[in-house]
């Protein structure tokens, strides 16, 4: 800033009126798309090719003068698209108005589409009806029955699978009501569509893909009030959330001609039950000293569900004492955190957290046989079934101390101790101790780095892999016993983690950053289960100014995750244990540049290329007495790959100070190689009819969009 | 020594114990308290002084934002104009450096060569923005790692990019490279599409729970949009009730449904194939179409284990104990 020689005591050189600030905008775009498929724009809902139009606006008005009051309003709209989908299907609209410091109200609407699959193979409609005139029990299910397969092919349909959310919410807030800021927010969402699922008919060999119906309404009311002074802050809130499933179950009649089941009327799949939640929260902040803060967060909630039981396969007469579930979960959460900087160069943090889930739901005893038809109990289960009221209590304490060694170097040590206790679980208790430290330092002029290391030891007690089976009435012994199973999320674990960051402000117009992270897990108690897990990521990030008017950003990220596990396969006389090694690798590189070519012309170029690869390495790990055969010799599955490249070019020219015209081009290419693509064949000619799989087919696509835009600002 | 609840008398007035700075009591080490500030010398003409030089549109846009409402005494423009945030800066305002030399910086500089310490920048914002969602800011991950408010927020614009779903993620991705990379995977929340923002799940200003989440637990965050998974269910799947993150990777995944691994391998991290009829899960090569019969390969294709155990989030059917109905 050079001294312009202005008169400090004179009038301002500029006034808002002479150089208006442009805060309003409206624009339209027209364009076309080719190569669209379900996976492209899966959140815009429109895979169709052809012309389309789009519009947006942002307008705001605010009284800013000393005597003008404080009224304001803002209105915004985005994705107001026609052509590819229905008008107002997926737009964002919001309106906000108020008197700043007095009241504030807002209303907004948002549509969100999600297309899960565009070529899903099924014999059913979402209402359970058989498609294309297929009649019940008309498909022969004899294994490898060519006639059955042909009949499946004849009636198989290809349908779209996806959902659309429509959200409407409103919020109103008052300021400074006796020092408090009360507010209320009401949200309503309707979600409609279908999602991929499957359904049993008689047993595990007779099932088929279905489009599960989705018709949900979710309402949420939040009443809240805030209080804030420099020393004391408080937030009290009550949240009521109600979820309503407008369709409690998916009901259909089997198209397969399996053995006659006495009393069979229909097959039914239970859908998510309607439920409610009440929750009160209290949050407090207290700063007894300028350098000390105590935050307290408390929550108490009730989760309720009392829907009629559904999906009672084969049951004509209820066997339970109730016809509806009396579900009640009580949740309690508490967290207290003390943060203090009592002495120059020192800072401390201590926290305690309590998280409790108490399952007070009804527990039922279901004596065998629990089918009403008198046939053998489902899947051979002849014991008494109980639904166990699973509960847990988590507690955690954290301590952290930081000391600034020099003006530019700070060291931090931390310690954490956590206990997880569970009822009716395969592992009833985990304890974990975490110790670590990190160093943040200015390594050189403009170079800032951090390096952190932590080690965590998790202990587990009472492994009982058969607990779940026991509740289902099964008594597992011998080779079927899973008492020694170590579940990944509960097993004893030793974890080492290293994290680092580096930023270098290399000079005018150039900054370089890099992040890295490495996690290594070992599971000392595990023989069957995950024995090792490793994850790593690293990537540089560069922002630079190659020439006047141009800024560029370049990044690269490499991520990998490796899991090694041993899987028991103790079938009598054919005992082969397997080793599975799964490696996910993702590499992403991107480039973005803004170029102000002239005062009127601006260009943007953005490209992101991501490569993902999943390797499945299977090997026989230990062999029992069984003879080697093709069925028990491991062969690795083929790697799955996905490559996506998305290139966007934008050019805009200012015709006047208030009007701009431009062009947007998007080219996106996705290549997917996945053995799941083989399903396309499995659901047609190769299928016997006993297992009709969904088949999403290959996801490969190449889509192009070009759009001309015009916008005005004022 | 003072008894519990007793205040210290100063000039004959008993102070509330909470108002006493105990760290200034004799015997304590040097405290990290801010020294008493001199009376600030505010510019007499308010923002008019500043826009004599700083008169570009981008400078003056702040006058048309919530910070620029003079009729609201709480706002910067209702108090000391630009200096409410940038500090009283008589040295900057009154300097007459020789041509070619720069003026001394203002008291609080938020970006650039003379940037102020993060604590100083943070104090400016905390003057007004305290309480509410900021209750847990002290000691939070961002605060502890010296992230200043203005590292994310831009005030001299009509619409702060970090407050818009369309642009918020780009601000966050500036530091969170892993999450940016994951957002480009086939399976992702519609963050890049501008339909979900990072702040729909995270409270970047501090949280009473883990990972700066808006709610206190992972599952409560997920239930906000996925209330159908909340239950309670007659038959529960324990890891699901404990943490959705046991199986899902919320920022993006190479597997469908944001899964950490694909089925059956994900399921096998906890469940082994000891049950009769499940050996086809790993009989090498036999799992794929044309290589065996469907009873074998249906465990690997479609939805893997969920082809049969489709109610992994819980079942409300009496016969759904194995999450199959």
């Amino acid at each position: 800033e050079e001294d312009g020689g202005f008169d400090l005591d004179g009038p301002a050189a500029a006034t808002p009126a002479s150089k208006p600030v442009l805060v309003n905008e409206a624009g339209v775009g027209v364009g076309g798309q080719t190569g669209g498929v379900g996976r492209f724009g899966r959140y815009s809902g429109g895979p169709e090719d052809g012309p389309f139009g789009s519009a947006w606006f942002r307008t705001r008005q605010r009284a800013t003068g000393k005597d003008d009051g404080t009224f304001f309003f803002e209105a915004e709209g985005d994705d107001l698209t026609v052509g590819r989908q229905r008008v107002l299907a997926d737009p964002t609209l919001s309106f906000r108005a108020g008197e700043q410091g007095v009241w504030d109200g807002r209303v907004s609407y948002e549509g969100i589409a999600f297309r899960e699959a565009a070529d899903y193979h099924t014999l059913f409609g979402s209402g359970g009806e058989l498609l294309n005139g297929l009649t019940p029990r008309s498909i022969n299910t004899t294994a490898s029955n060519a006639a059955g397969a042909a009949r499946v092919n004849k009636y198989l349909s290809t349908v779209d699978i996806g959902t659309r959310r429509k959200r409407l919410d409103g919020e109103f807030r008052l300021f400074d009501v006796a020092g408090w800021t009360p507010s209320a927010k009401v949200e309503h969402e309707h979600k409609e569509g279908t999602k991929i699922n499957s359904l049993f008919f008689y047993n595990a060999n007779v099932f088929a893909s279905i489009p599960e119906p989705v018709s949900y309404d979710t309402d949420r009311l939040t009443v809240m009030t805030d209080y804030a002074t420099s020393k004391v802050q408080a937030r009290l809130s009550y949240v009521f959330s109600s979820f309503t499933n407008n369709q409690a179950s998916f009901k259909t009649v089997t198209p397969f001609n399996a053995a006659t089941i006495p009393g069979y009327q229909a097959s039914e799949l239970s859908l998510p039950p309607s439920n409610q939640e009440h929750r009160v929260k209290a949050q407090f902040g207290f700063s007894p000293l300028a350098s000390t803060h105590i935050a307290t967060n408390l929550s108490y909630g009730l989760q309720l569900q009392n829907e009629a039981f559904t999906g009672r396969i084969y049951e004509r007469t209820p066997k339970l004492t109730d016809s509806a579930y009396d579900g009640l979960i009580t949740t309690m959460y508490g967290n207290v955190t003390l943060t203090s900087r009592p002495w120059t160069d020192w800072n401390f943090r201590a926290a305690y957290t309590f998280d409790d889930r108490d399952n007070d739901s009804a527990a039922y005893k279901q004596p065998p046989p629990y089918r009403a038809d008198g046939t053998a109990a489902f899947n051979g289960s002849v014991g008494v079934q109980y639904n166990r009221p699973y509960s847990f209590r988590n507690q955690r304490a954290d301590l952290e101390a930081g000391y600034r060694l020099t003006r530019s170097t700070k060291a931090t040590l931390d310690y954490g101790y956590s206990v997880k206790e569970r009822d009716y679980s395969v592992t009833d208790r985990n304890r974990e101790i975490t110790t670590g430290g990190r160093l943040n330092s200015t390594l050189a002029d403009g170079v800032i780095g951090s390096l952190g290391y932590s080690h965590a030891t998790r202990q587990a007690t009472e492994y009982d892999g058969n607990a779940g089976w026991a509740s289902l009435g099964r008594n597992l012994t011998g080779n079927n016993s899973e008492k020694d199973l170590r579940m990944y999320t509960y097993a004893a674990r030793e974890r080492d983690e290293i994290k680092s960051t580096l930023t270098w402000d290399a000079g005018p117009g150039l900054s370089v950053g890099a992040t890295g992270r490495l996690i290594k897990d070992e599971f000392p108690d595990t023989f069957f289960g995950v024995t090792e897990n490793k994850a790593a990521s690293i990537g540089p990030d560069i922002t630079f100014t190659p020439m006047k008017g141009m800024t560029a950003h370049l990044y690269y990220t490499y991520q990998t995750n490796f899991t090694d596990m041993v899987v028991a396969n103790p079938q009598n006389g054919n005992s082969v244990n397997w080793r599975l090694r799964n490696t996910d690798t993702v590499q992403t590189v991107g480039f973005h540049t803004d170029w102000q070519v002239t005062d009127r012309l601006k260009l943007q170029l953005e490209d992101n290329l991501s490569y993902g690869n999943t390797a499945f390495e299977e090997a026989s790990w230990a062999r029992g007495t069984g003879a080697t055969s093709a069925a028990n010799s491991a062969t690795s599955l083929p790697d799955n790959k996905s490559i996506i490249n998305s290139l966007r070019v934008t050019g805009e020219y200012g015709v006047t100070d208030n009007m701009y015209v431009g062009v947007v081009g998007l080219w996106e290419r996705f290549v997917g190689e996945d053995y799941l693509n083989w399903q396309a064949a499995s659901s047609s000619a190769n299928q016997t009819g006993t297992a009709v799989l969904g088949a999403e087919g290959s996801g490969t696509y190449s889509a192009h969009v070009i759009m001309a835009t015009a916008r005005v600002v004022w | 020594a003072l008894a519990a609840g007793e205040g210290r008398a100063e000039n004959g007035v008993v102070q509330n114990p909470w108002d006493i700075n105990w760290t200034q009591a004799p015997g304590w080490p040097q405290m990290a308290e801010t020294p008493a500030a001199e009376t600030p010398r505010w510019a007499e003409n308010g923002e008019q002084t500043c826009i004599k030089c700083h008169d570009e549109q981008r400078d003056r846009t702040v006058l048309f934002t919530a910070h620029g409402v003079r009729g609201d005494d709480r706002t910067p423009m209702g108090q000391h104009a630009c200096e409410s945030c940038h500090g009283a800066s008589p040295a900057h305002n009154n300097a007459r450096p020789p041509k070619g030399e720069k003026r001394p910086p203002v008291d609080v500089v938020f970006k650039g060569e003379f940037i102020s310490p993060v604590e100083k920048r943070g104090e400016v914002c905390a003057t007004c923005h305290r309480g509410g969602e900021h209750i847990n800011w002290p000691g939070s991950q961002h605060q502890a790692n010296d992230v200043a408010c203005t590292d994310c927020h831009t005030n001299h614009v009509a619409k702060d990019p970090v407050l818009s779903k369309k642009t918020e993620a780009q601000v966050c991705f500036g530091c969170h490279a892993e999450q940016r990379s994951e957002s480009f995977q086939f399976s992702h929340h519609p963050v890049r599409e501008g339909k979900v923002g990072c702040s729909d799940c995270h409270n970047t200003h501090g949280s009473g729970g883990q990972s700066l989440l808006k709610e206190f637990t992972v599952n409560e965050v997920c239930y906000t949009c996925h209330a159908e998974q909340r239950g309670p269910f007659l038959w529960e799947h324990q890891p699901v009730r404990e943490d959705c993150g046991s199986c899902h990777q919320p920022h993006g995944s190479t597997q469908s449904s944001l899964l950490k691994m694909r089925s059956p391998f994900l399921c096998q991290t906890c469940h082994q194939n000891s049950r009769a009829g499940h050996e086809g899960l790993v009989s090498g090569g036999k799992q794929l179409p044309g290589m065996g019969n469907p009873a074998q390969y249906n465990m690997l294709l479609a939805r893997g284990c969920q082809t049969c155990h489709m109610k992994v989030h819980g079942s409300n059917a009496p016969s759904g104990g194995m999450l199959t109905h």
Side-chain angles (χ1 to χ4, degrees):
Chain A
E1 300 163 20
E2 294 182 4
D3 178 22
F6 63 82
D7 178 7
L8 183 66
D9 301 320
T15 63
S18 63
K19 288 189 176 181
V21 173
L22 310 174
V23 296
N24 302 298
E25 177 179 328
V28 295
V30 291
Q33 175 180 317
T34 61
V37 295
R39 285 191 181 185
F40 172 70
R42 61 197 308 217
Y43 296 107
S44 67
E48 295 85 5
D49 293 348
F52 66 88
S54 185
W56 68 93
F57 67 89
R58 295 173 187 84
T59 180
R60 47 178 53 87
Q61 185 66 47
R62 188 179 287 278
T64 55
K66 183 68 179 172
D67 302 317
D68 295 342
T70 63
F71 180 78
F72 70 93
F73 80 86
E74 300 173 359
E76 295 187 2
D78 251 320
D79 300 326
L80 309 175
T81 310
V82 295
R84 292 193 299 169
Q85 65 260 326
R86 289 180 291 123
V87 177
L88 298 184
D90 300 314
T92 302
L93 290 165
S94 66
F95 179 78
R96 181 182 177 192
E99 286 184 75
Q100 187 166 302
V102 182
W103 64 275
D104 186 347
R106 67 182 80 190
V107 178
S108 64
Y109 169 86
E110 183 148 50
I112 304 177
F114 172 60
R115 192 173 292 258
E116 191 174 6
D119 47 4
Y120 185 66
H121 295 190
T122 184
L123 297 167
F124 303 88
S126 60
E129 72 278 15
L130 294 169
L131 298 176
N132 301 325
L134 179 62
T135 53
R137 305 191 187 198
S138 61
I139 298 175
N140 191 322
T141 56
T142 305
S144 303
N145 185 296
R151 193 158 174 79
V152 168
N153 293 338
K154 180 179 177 183
Y155 290 99
L156 210 57
S157 290
T158 302
V159 299
D160 271 4
I161 299 290
T163 56
R164 190 183 298 283
R165 293 175 189 254
K166 295 179 180 179
R167 287 180 171 174
L168 181 66
D169 65 76
E171 185 175 9
F172 187 78
R173 177 174 302 182
L174 289 172
F175 292 90
D176 197 14
V177 180
W180 292 79
T181 304
S183 64
K185 186 176 185 180
V186 179
E187 300 163 86
H188 173 76
E189 179 189 281
H190 179 70
K191 187 177 178 182
E192 189 75 34
T194 53
K195 62 180 186 180
I196 292 174
N197 213 333
S198 50
L199 175 65
F200 271 151
F201 294 99
Y202 303 124
N203 55 48
N205 290 323
V206 187
F207 63 90
S209 60
I210 60 164
E212 179 184 316
V214 173
S215 180
Y216 303 158
D217 284 297
T218 305
D219 295 282
R220 190 176 167 95
L221 167 69
T222 306
V223 181
M224 182 187 293
T225 185
D226 287 309
Y227 178 83
T229 66
S230 61
K231 282 200 167 183
V232 178
Q233 304 95 42
R235 167 172 276 192
L236 308 174
S237 54
Y238 164 74
V239 182
F240 171 67
S241 170
S242 173
F243 167 75
T244 303
N245 192 343
N246 299 310
Q247 189 168 340
S249 67
F250 176 88
K251 203 169 185 178
T252 190
V253 180
T254 179
F256 302 115
N257 183 22
T260 301
I261 302 295
Y264 177 83
Q265 296 173 340
S267 295
E268 196 170 5
L269 175 68
S270 69
L271 300 181
S274 300
N275 62 73
Q276 302 81 38
E277 181 178 36
H278 300 267
R279 198 145 49 92
V280 290
K281 293 199 292 185
Q283 295 175 269
F284 303 101
F286 177 52
S287 305
L289 306 170
S291 58
T292 301
H293 185 79
I294 302 169
T296 305
N297 301 276
L298 305 170
S299 167
Y300 177 82
L302 298 174
Q303 297 172 350
L304 304 156
Q305 194 258 102
N306 193 25
E307 288 297 292
F309 291 129
T310 56
R312 304 173 72 89
I313 306 300
Y314 307 118
E315 282 192 344
R316 288 172 298 178
T317 306
K319 285 292 182 185
L320 301 181
T321 52
D322 292 335
S323 59
Y325 182 49
D326 186 13
L328 171 63
I329 306 290
T330 304
T331 59
M332 284 190 289
Y333 186 91
N335 163 262
V336 181
T337 302
L338 167 70
T339 312
S340 184
R341 191 162 58 92
W343 309 303
T344 303
D345 299 330
W346 284 92
N347 68 277
F348 296 94
R349 178 176 174 273
Y352 170 75
T353 303
F354 175 78
D355 177 18
D356 179 84
R357 178 189 197 262
D358 192 8
N359 191 335
D360 299 315
S361 305
Y364 298 98
K365 176 181 176 183
Q366 303 185 54
Y370 57 97
R371 289 174 180 165
D373 59 16
T375 60
F378 179 74
N379 238 10
S381 177
V382 293
V384 177
Q385 289 201 335
Y386 299 93
N387 59 308
R388 301 288 193 184
Y390 172 62
S391 302
F392 64 75
R393 289 160 302 285
N394 298 335
Q395 296 182 81
R396 181 176 176 87
D398 292 286
L399 295 172
E400 183 179 295
Y403 179 64
R404 196 170 288 280
L405 299 166
T406 69
R407 181 174 170 78
S408 59
T409 303
K410 182 180 173 185
T412 305
L413 294 175
D414 49 68
Y415 172 85
Y417 178 77
S418 68
V419 180
K420 295 186 175 185
E421 296 168 294
R422 309 177 185 89
D423 295 336
Y424 306 111
S425 176
V426 295
T427 298
D428 66 0
R429 186 180 174 94
N430 281 120
R431 286 184 298 170
E432 186 163 28
I433 295 174
T434 307
T435 52
R438 64 179 186 273
L439 202 62
N440 298 59
S441 183
T442 301
L443 304 172
D445 191 24
V447 182
I448 300 173
S450 72
L451 179 65
Y453 168 77
S454 69
H455 177 81
T457 299
R458 182 171 75 188
Q459 297 173 318
T461 55
E462 298 296 326
Y463 296 111
D464 184 3
N466 289 334
W469 295 111
S471 72
L472 295 175
R474 299 199 171 189
N475 180 22
L476 303 189
T477 57
N479 290 332
N480 276 336
S481 174
E482 292 189 342
K483 65 182 176 63
D484 294 326
L485 174 63
R486 303 291 184 260
M487 290 192 175
Y488 173 59
T489 51
Y490 299 160
R493 183 183 69 187
E494 298 286 336
R495 164 168 288 192
D496 294 283
E497 180 172 4
I498 299 172
K499 291 171 77 172
S500 67
T501 63
L502 188 72
T503 59
W504 177 30
D505 191 1
L510 176 61
S511 87
V512 180
T515 59
R517 189 164 70 104
L518 177 66
I519 297 176
K520 184 174 188 296
D521 293 337
E522 289 182 343
F523 301 84
D525 287 355
T526 300
F527 184 76
F528 291 122
V530 175
T531 57
E532 186 182 4
N533 189 75
K534 287 186 286 193
S537 73
I538 191 167
D541 205 308
I542 303 170
T543 302
F544 58 105
T545 306
M547 56 188 283
K548 188 178 180 183
M550 179 183 282
T551 60
H553 176 221
L554 179 66
Y555 74 89
Y556 168 75
T557 307
Y558 173 83
Q559 289 176 271
T560 185
N561 188 67
F562 168 77
T563 303
D564 191 351
M565 61 181 160
V566 177
V567 181
N569 187 21
Q571 296 302 304
N572 289 330
N574 190 22
S575 183
V576 180
N577 297 322
W578 305 88
R579 181 165 218 166
L580 302 176
R581 288 173 162 166
N582 184 300
T583 307
D584 273 332
T585 306
V586 172
Q587 299 181 73
T588 308
V589 61
F591 175 76
H592 179 267
T593 182
D594 282 339
W595 184 20
Q596 191 73 47
V597 184
T598 69
D599 288 346
R600 298 257 177 216
L601 179 63
K602 184 177 182 180
L603 300 176
Q604 288 181 308
L605 173 68
E606 181 179 2
D607 188 78
N608 293 286
L609 171 65
S610 184
Y611 171 81
N613 186 80
T614 303
F616 308 95
E617 184 185 344
E618 290 185 314
S620 302
W621 186 70
R623 184 175 299 281
T625 57
T628 303
S629 70
N632 62 26
S633 297
T635 304
S636 295
L637 290 164
D639 286 7
N640 290 340
K641 300 180 194 302
S642 63
I643 304 170
I644 186 167
N645 187 66
S646 185
L647 171 66
R648 181 188 291 269
V649 180
T650 305
E652 189 172 68
Y653 180 76
V655 181
T656 68
D657 287 346
N658 298 85
M659 183 173 181
Y660 298 83
V661 294
V663 178
V664 180
L666 173 67
W667 292 265
E668 190 162 292
R669 171 79 172 153
F670 177 81
V671 178
E673 292 179 20
D674 192 321
Y675 64 70
L676 287 180
N677 297 344
W678 295 18
Q679 284 178 227
S682 76
S683 62
S684 55
N686 290 343
Q687 186 52 265
T688 66
T690 59
V692 181
L693 304 178
E696 294 175 60
S698 171
T700 296
Y701 67 81
S702 186
H704 324 283
V705 179
I706 191 159
M707 180 170 71
T709 62
R711 67 183 178 100
V712 291
V713 293
W714 70 97
Chain B
L2 297 171
E6 184 182 356
R8 186 167 51 179
E10 286 189 358
N11 299 325
V13 178
V14 176
Q15 282 186 281
N16 185 318
W18 293 119
D19 291 335
I20 298 172
N21 188 345
W22 294 100
T23 57
Q24 290 180 350
W28 282 68
Q30 181 188 356
M31 300 298 119
E33 294 299 314
T34 308
E38 296 177 3
T39 303
R41 291 167 53 205
W42 307 107
E44 290 183 5
N45 293 327
E47 79 280 3
Q48 295 300 314
T49 299
C50 307
I51 62 175
K52 283 180 181 175
C53 294
H54 303 281
D55 61 348
E56 296 292 328
Q57 280 189 341
R58 65 175 180 272
D59 300 321
R60 294 189 300 103
T61 300
V62 72
L63 301 174
F64 297 86
T65 67
H67 285 123
V69 180
R70 296 174 187 80
D72 183 355
D73 291 340
R74 306 169 312 152
T75 64
M77 286 301 156
Q79 297 179 18
H80 304 290
C82 309
E83 290 181 316
S84 297
C85 298
H86 291 281
S89 307
H92 175 82
N93 296 340
N94 300 327
R96 294 292 183 275
K99 201 169 181 69
E101 289 188 17
K102 290 186 174 179
R103 291 163 178 253
V106 293
D107 185 41
V108 185
V109 183
F110 291 95
K111 287 184 179 166
E113 184 181 359
F114 300 106
I115 192 165
S116 301
V118 64
E119 291 90 350
K120 190 167 187 175
R121 284 178 283 152
E123 281 171 12
V124 170
C125 306
T127 306
C128 299
H129 298 282
R130 60 188 172 220
E133 62 184 33
H134 307 94
I135 281 180
N136 293 294
W137 171 253
S140 66
Q141 288 93 323
H142 281 149
Q143 190 268 343
N145 284 288
D146 289 345
V147 177
C149 309
T150 48
D151 288 342
C152 306
H153 289 285
T154 308
N155 291 318
H156 289 239
V157 292
K159 181 81 174 181
D160 183 354
V162 84
L163 298 182
S164 171
K165 279 187 183 176
K166 291 261 183 192
T167 48
E168 179 189 28
Q170 294 308 316
V171 177
C172 303
F173 290 160
C175 293
H176 299 280
E178 264 186 54
Q179 284 71 21
R180 175 179 54 201
S181 176
E182 288 168 356
S183 79
F184 280 105
Q185 301 317 303
F186 153 65
S187 180
H188 61 274
H189 276 119
V191 173
R192 283 191 290 120
E193 290 77 3
K195 292 295 184 183
V196 172
C198 306
S199 59
D200 284 333
C201 302
H202 296 283
N203 180 357
T204 54
H205 301 114
S207 167
Q210 61 174 297
S211 304
L212 292 178
L213 290 173
K214 274 181 95 167
E215 302 291 349
F216 296 149
T217 65
V218 173
N219 285 25
E220 281 295 339
V221 174
C222 301
Y223 296 155
T224 306
C225 293
H226 303 284
E228 72 273 19
Q229 315 296 10
R230 182 169 53 204
F233 292 93
L234 173 63
W235 298 102
E236 294 191 320
H237 191 191
Q238 293 180 12
V240 175
R241 297 303 118 201
E242 206 162 299
D243 186 349
C244 303
S246 300
C247 302
H248 295 285
Q249 192 163 287
H251 299 111
S253 166
T254 54
Q255 313 302 330
S256 62
S257 303
L258 292 167
L259 290 172
K260 286 182 165 179
M261 298 166 73
R262 74 171 49 189
S263 182
F265 309 115
L266 175 66
C267 307
Q268 287 180 314
T269 62
C270 288
H271 300 284
Q272 308 287 284
N273 56 315
S274 63
R275 302 303 308 159
H278 290 65
E279 59 272 28
L281 283 170
V282 287
S283 55
K286 287 288 185 184
Q287 311 94 324
L288 301 178
M291 304 293 284
N293 68 56
Q296 288 181 316
Y297 67 68
N298 61 30
M299 297 175 195
L300 203 65
L301 294 180
R303 303 171 69 228
C305 305
Q306 286 97 289
T307 304
C308 300
H309 302 275
M310 68 285 286
K311 307 301 293 184
V312 288
H313 295 107
S315 171
N316 206 41
S319 53
M322 287 192 290
L323 307 178
T324 50
H325 293 290

